[in-house]
Amino acid sequence: MPSSPGPVPPPAVVELRRYTLRPGRREELIALFEREFTETQEAVGMSVLGTFRDLDAPDRFVWLRGFADMTARHRALTDFYGGPVWAEHGPRANATMADSDDVLLLRPRATGSGFPVSPAARPPVGAPAPDRFVAAVLWSFPLGRDQGVELLRDGLLPVLRATGPEPLALLSTEDAPNTFTRLPVRTGENVAVVLLSYADEDAHHRHAAAVRAHPLARAEVLPGLARERTAPARVLRLAPTGRSLIT
C-alpha cells in the first residue's frame, strides 16, 4: 500500500460527500475505504481529510477530500478512477451505495479554513474511532449574493472563537464548472459550511447556547443571517471514523 506523505499545503478545493448506503452496509464500506481508498487516493494527489458516520442516519457515510486546485482535482480523479485500485475494489464499494451524488464542491473562505493536516499522522488501519463529535453546519443563501458568507466569516466566526473552540473551517460553494463529470456535484446553490469539533455533543450544545447569548450575535450576527438565509441552518451530527484526520 502506498505510504502517506508528510504535511501538505491546505487544499483550495474541498468536496463534502454524503453517501446514502444500502441498509446495514455502512461498516462494510468504512472498512473497505480505510483499508483500500485512503493512501491510494493521496498517492495521486488528493487529501482524504475526514471520514464520518452520520449520527442521524445509520446508512449515511460522510467524507471530505481536498485538492490543490480544480486542475489538480481533474487530474487526481482521472488517475484514481481510471486506475487499478478502483478497478479492483470500486465494484464492491459501489455495491454498498444507494446514492453517491449528494456532493458539494467548496472552497475555503477564511484564514485557517484549509485543513492544514498531515496524512503522516493518520492512525493505522483498524484504529478505534476517536471519542469526538464534529458538527457541520450548512447554510443556504441566495444565488449571486455573498453577504451571507461574509457575515459568517466576519461576524459568526469571531463569536465562535470568543465563546468556544476554534472553528475548523468555513467553506462555501466553488463556482468553477465540474470538469470531472463522471462524479456529479450539486449545482445551482449558494451554500456555506462551518465545521466545528468538540469533545462530545454536550460541548457542542453549550457552545451553541453561548453563541446565542453573546451580545453581538444576539443583536447583529444572528438576525443578519436570518435575513440572508433561504432556509434554516442544518447541522450534520458526525462521528469521526478511526482513520479520520478531522476529529
Side-chain angles (χ1 to χ4, degrees), residues 94-201:
N94 283 335
T96 69
M97 301 177 195
D99 176 67
S100 60
D101 293 347
D102 188 349
V103 180
L104 293 173
L105 191 60
L106 306 165
R107 58 189 172 98
R109 288 298 300 266
T111 302
S113 288
F115 305 108
V117 292
S118 173
R122 189 185 306 278
V125 174
D131 190 15
R132 299 286 297 178
F133 176 85
V134 172
V137 186
L138 276 63
W139 298 81
S140 295
F141 299 113
L143 285 173
R145 286 178 60 86
D146 210 33
Q147 287 87 339
V149 177
E150 291 172 353
L151 189 53
L152 290 175
R153 183 191 62 206
D154 301 330
L156 185 61
L157 288 193
V159 172
L160 287 168
R161 295 184 182 107
T163 54
E166 177 76 18
L168 296 176
L170 169 62
L171 309 166
S172 70
T173 297
E174 169 58 68
D175 293 323
N178 175 27
T179 58
F180 193 80
T181 55
R182 178 176 168 183
L183 297 184
V185 301
R186 285 162 50 180
T187 59
E189 300 181 57
N190 182 14
V191 178
V193 181
V194 179
L195 204 67
L196 305 121
S197 175
Y198 301 93
D200 51 42
E201 191 169 7

Side-chain angles (χ1 to χ4, degrees), residues 7-140:
V8 295
V13 176
V14 176
E15 294 175 347
L16 172 59
R17 310 186 65 87
R18 290 181 284 177
Y19 293 172
T20 299
L21 307 180
R22 301 189 187 283
R25 303 193 70 175
R26 182 164 70 180
E27 296 310 308
E28 177 186 349
L29 178 63
I30 289 173
L32 178 65
F33 190 103
E34 297 200 328
R35 185 178 67 249
E36 304 294 349
F37 297 150
T38 302
E39 284 84 357
T40 52
Q41 289 189 82
E42 290 174 342
V44 296
M46 310 182 224
S47 299
V48 179
L49 302 166
T51 47
F52 309 95
R53 295 173 175 90
D54 187 325
L55 294 174
D56 290 313
D59 297 315
R60 184 76 53 76
F61 174 64
V62 180
W63 63 294
L64 296 104
R65 66 179 167 191
F67 308 86
D69 52 39
M70 290 297 291
T71 300
R73 176 179 179 267
H74 184 271
R75 182 173 58 250
L77 294 178
T78 299
D79 289 347
F80 182 75
Y81 289 102
V85 173
W86 187 251
E88 179 178 357
H89 301 289
R92 182 178 171 191
N94 283 335
T96 69
M97 301 177 195
D99 176 67
S100 60
D101 293 347
D102 188 349
V103 180
L104 293 173
L105 191 60
L106 306 165
R107 58 189 172 98
R109 288 298 300 266
T111 302
S113 288
F115 305 108
V117 292
S118 173
R122 189 185 306 278
V125 174
D131 190 15
R132 299 286 297 178
F133 176 85
V134 172
V137 186
L138 276 63
W139 298 81
S140 295

